[in-house]
Amino acid sequence: MAVPLAFFGLFFAYPVAAIVGRGLKTDEGWQFGRFAEVLARPDIGDVLWFTTWQAFASTLLTLLIALPAAYVFARFEFPGKQLLRAVVTVPFVLPTVVVGTAFLALLGRGGLLDELVGVRLDTTVWAILLAHVFFNYAVVVRTVGGLWAQLDPRQEEAARVLGAGRFTAWRRVTLPALAPAVAAAALMVFLFTFSSFGVVLILGGPAYSTLEVEVYRQTAQLLDLPTAAVLTMVQFAAIGAILAVHAWTVRKRETALRLVDPGRTTHRPRGWAQRTLLGGVLLTVALLIAAPLGVLVERSFDTPGGYGLGYYRALQDAGGGTFLVAPLEAIWNSLQYALAATAIALVIGGLAAAALTRRAGRFVRGFDALLMLPLGVSAVTVGFGFLITLDEPPLDLRTSWILVPLAQALVGVPFVVRTMLPVLRAVDGRLREAAAVLGASPLRAWREVDLPLVRRALLIAAGFAFAVSLGEFGATVFIARADRPTLPVAVARLLGRAGELNYGQAMALSTILMLVCAVSLLLLERLRPDKTSGEF
């Protein structure tokens, strides 16, 4: 546990504390009165209100749209189910910049909807909400559907035999069993939407800001560190509360149920109602997931001279002053960074998961919650903190290429832990004890006992870490060098400049990034041994 603690202390807690300290501490001491000053400002009140209500609305909308799909994946067998599972999971690992770009092309000003109706519509809020549903659809499908598939349907059937109607049996038997999983999924969706950055930055413009976007604006554009520090602390407190409740729901889900093999709970859709439900889910996937991605691809080929590869060819040219290098080089940069970040995340996450498996107690539960904090705490703060803290020997890393993988690994570690932990907990501890009795060292026991059993889960964890590292944007936008931009940073820079060519190049780069993430997800689905490996 010492290595993961040192890693998070040095590259997460220290940069965040440094930013907060610079914003709230002066020569006269800590200025906690700034909390009241900042939070009393009308513009900050508007940001807090929009952040909160859009997170609630996004969460509710995601549950309403995704829960039917969770049932379909849990209870039905149909051709192409594995492929469809991969398709609905692709948005979750897509960079938020790509998601924002896709919905900008579909619902933004001058997007496809405007062209179809012939009138410019202000659909900003709906675009943000639907983009959040698009991004978090898989969270509900996998979290709730994974548990639903393991609930014994005979319990509900027994209630119906005793006279309960179909809805009453579901409400009295299945719903209480699903409640912890639904609550856990809702909390994760709320966490991701409350701290939304890339989607709101691209779709919202100056009129709409979440806390994360406002921290970025106050830090990067206005250089108002006191305001940014207060907002960071507010977001930190909110995320901490969400993660505490989420940890409680996960423990309740793990201890309250007796589960069965998912293979025993599925069947072919029977009757008109079940076939209609399956058709509705397929239509939803087509409209909510396939349509935005399809429009993104279409816009990448729609050049002024007709459909062609013009925007893709333009990626080889650094002209226009947007980049010091050709945008195409961002692809190679991103792959290098993501591979390095994946290696770091596997080492840190693997050690953390092993420590959590072998120990128990409040300290360990607190450490588990700490590992999840990078998913919700301002990545913008972390990135800016890197610049002002890692600037002196022996850790003067501001000009080093490793700075970007370190920031990306912070986001990848939670996925490694959440994927590895359930599998490691399933390893029979008596096997390790037998190896120790036979004289094996702890390292050899891990190599001979644990590794063969968790090898596939390790590959899945690596795939998730690679995908999320590839798309990390909040911290990378601060620390990526101008001559070595990543794909998300390159997309954001292109979208920030006027001109049809810049817009087309952004669509082309987003399409390339989407394809890389989609291929990674399809490979993960082939590796996944069953529907229940890991927590994602």
Side-chain angles (χ1 to χ4, degrees):
M1 191 179 289
V3 174
L5 274 175
F7 178 82
F8 273 83
L10 184 60
F11 297 114
F12 178 69
Y14 178 42
V16 172
I19 286 292
V20 173
R22 291 209 177 191
L24 296 180
K25 190 176 182 180
T26 66
D27 294 337
E28 300 175 357
W30 290 93
Q31 304 297 315
F32 292 109
R34 286 176 176 168
F35 275 90
E37 296 175 8
V38 171
L39 297 179
R41 288 165 43 182
D43 60 324
I44 299 300
D46 291 341
V47 170
L48 291 171
W49 169 244
F50 178 73
T51 301
T52 304
W53 85 255
Q54 67 81 23
F56 273 112
S58 297
T59 302
L60 180 60
L61 198 59
T62 303
L63 290 175
L64 289 174
I65 293 177
L67 281 176
Y71 175 78
V72 165
F73 279 104
R75 292 291 192 241
F76 294 167
E77 282 294 341
F78 53 90
K81 181 178 177 178
Q82 187 179 25
L83 177 61
L84 187 64
R85 177 186 291 273
V87 169
V88 301
T89 310
V90 165
F92 183 67
V93 298
L94 280 181
T96 54
V97 170
V98 174
V99 176
T101 306
F103 278 83
L104 184 69
L106 183 63
L107 298 175
R109 290 301 183 103
L112 180 63
L113 183 62
D114 284 354
E115 294 180 2
L116 292 176
V117 300
V119 179
R120 286 191 175 271
L121 303 173
D122 187 3
T123 57
T124 302
V125 173
W126 277 108
I128 291 172
L129 295 181
L130 289 176
H132 285 157
V133 175
F134 170 92
F135 187 75
N136 294 290
Y137 188 83
V139 175
V140 177
V141 170
R142 285 187 174 268
T143 303
V144 180
L147 177 63
W148 211 334
Q150 298 176 79
L151 293 181
D152 193 343
R154 291 175 297 184
Q155 299 178 36
E156 190 173 322
E157 293 168 3
R160 296 192 63 193
V161 169
L162 294 174
R166 183 183 296 274
F167 177 74
T168 301
W170 180 83
R171 180 172 58 85
R172 295 284 184 87
V173 178
T174 304
L175 183 58
L178 285 176
V182 174
L187 285 167
M188 289 305 295
V189 174
F190 188 86
L191 169 70
F192 291 136
T193 54
F194 187 86
S195 57
S196 180
F197 177 56
V199 167
V200 179
L201 181 68
I202 290 176
L203 294 175
Y208 301 94
S209 288
T210 56
L211 274 172
E212 183 83 346
V213 174
E214 191 64 20
V215 168
Y216 173 74
R217 193 172 75 90
Q218 296 291 338
T219 303
Q221 299 176 8
L222 303 180
L223 298 179
D224 187 351
L225 286 185
T227 298
V230 169
L231 296 181
T232 296
M233 292 301 293
V234 170
Q235 183 169 333
F236 188 87
I239 296 304
I242 295 169
L243 288 176
V245 178
H246 177 264
W248 175 78
T249 60
V250 169
R251 288 198 300 273
K252 185 176 179 181
R253 181 180 61 184
E254 289 177 345
T255 59
L257 298 173
R258 183 175 180 85
L259 307 177
V260 299
D261 181 4
R264 295 165 50 190
T265 67
T266 58
H267 58 80
R268 292 276 184 175
R270 295 189 292 261
W272 176 85
Q274 292 188 356
R275 292 191 181 94
T276 301
L277 178 60
L278 176 59
V281 168
L282 293 176
L283 180 61
T284 300
V285 171
L287 294 176
L288 178 67
I289 296 177
L293 298 181
V295 172
L296 178 67
V297 175
E298 185 269 338
R299 290 302 167 98
S300 72
F301 290 103
D302 187 12
T303 67
Y307 286 100
L309 298 174
Y311 292 140
Y312 290 89
R313 295 192 185 97
L315 295 177
Q316 304 175 49
D317 184 12
T322 307
F323 301 100
L324 297 179
V325 296
L328 198 62
E329 290 193 23
I331 301 172
W332 177 237
N333 295 336
S334 287
L335 292 175
Q336 288 179 300
Y337 287 143
L339 287 172
T342 300
I344 297 171
L346 286 177
V347 172
I348 302 299
L351 291 173
L356 291 172
T357 304
R358 290 169 170 78
R359 302 182 185 183
R362 291 184 178 180
F363 176 75
V364 173
R365 289 197 295 271
F367 177 60
D368 193 9
L370 170 67
L371 297 174
M372 295 291 289
L373 281 177
L375 293 181
V377 172
S378 173
V380 170
T381 300
V382 174
F384 193 58
F386 271 29
L387 293 181
I388 67 171
T389 56
L390 304 180
D391 61 343
E392 296 180 359
L395 285 175
D396 186 3
L397 303 177
R398 286 181 301 174
T399 59
S400 172
W401 68 272
I402 197 65
L403 201 62
V404 173
L406 286 171
Q408 293 174 343
L410 284 171
V411 183
V413 167
F415 289 90
V416 174
V417 173
R418 298 267 74 82
T419 302
M420 295 291 298
L421 194 55
V423 181
L424 286 172
R425 283 175 175 165
V427 176
D428 192 339
R430 291 173 297 182
L431 296 175
R432 301 188 192 101
E433 295 171 2
V437 169
L438 294 173
S441 65
L443 178 61
R444 184 176 180 184
W446 178 85
R447 188 176 68 247
E448 300 291 342
V449 176
D450 291 69
L451 184 58
L453 296 174
V454 303
R455 183 181 290 113
R456 183 165 291 193
L458 190 65
L459 292 174
I460 294 172
F464 269 118
F466 177 80
V468 298
S469 299
L470 197 66
E472 204 287 322
F473 176 61
T476 308
V477 71
F478 273 96
I479 57 181
R481 288 162 39 184
D483 60 339
R484 294 200 67 183
T486 64
L487 277 169
V489 171
V491 170
R493 288 182 186 173
L494 287 167
L495 288 174
R497 295 177 64 91
E500 194 171 25
L501 177 61
N502 287 318
Y503 179 82
Q505 286 179 301
M507 295 295 165
L509 273 182
S510 296
T511 299
I512 293 171
L513 188 49
M514 177 194 71
L515 290 176
V516 173
C517 291
V519 169
S520 300
L521 236 293
L522 289 172
L523 291 175
L524 290 185
E525 283 301 318
R526 295 184 65 86
L527 287 171
R528 186 179 298 275
D530 52 51
K531 301 177 180 68
T532 60
S533 295
E535 297 179 22
F536 287 98

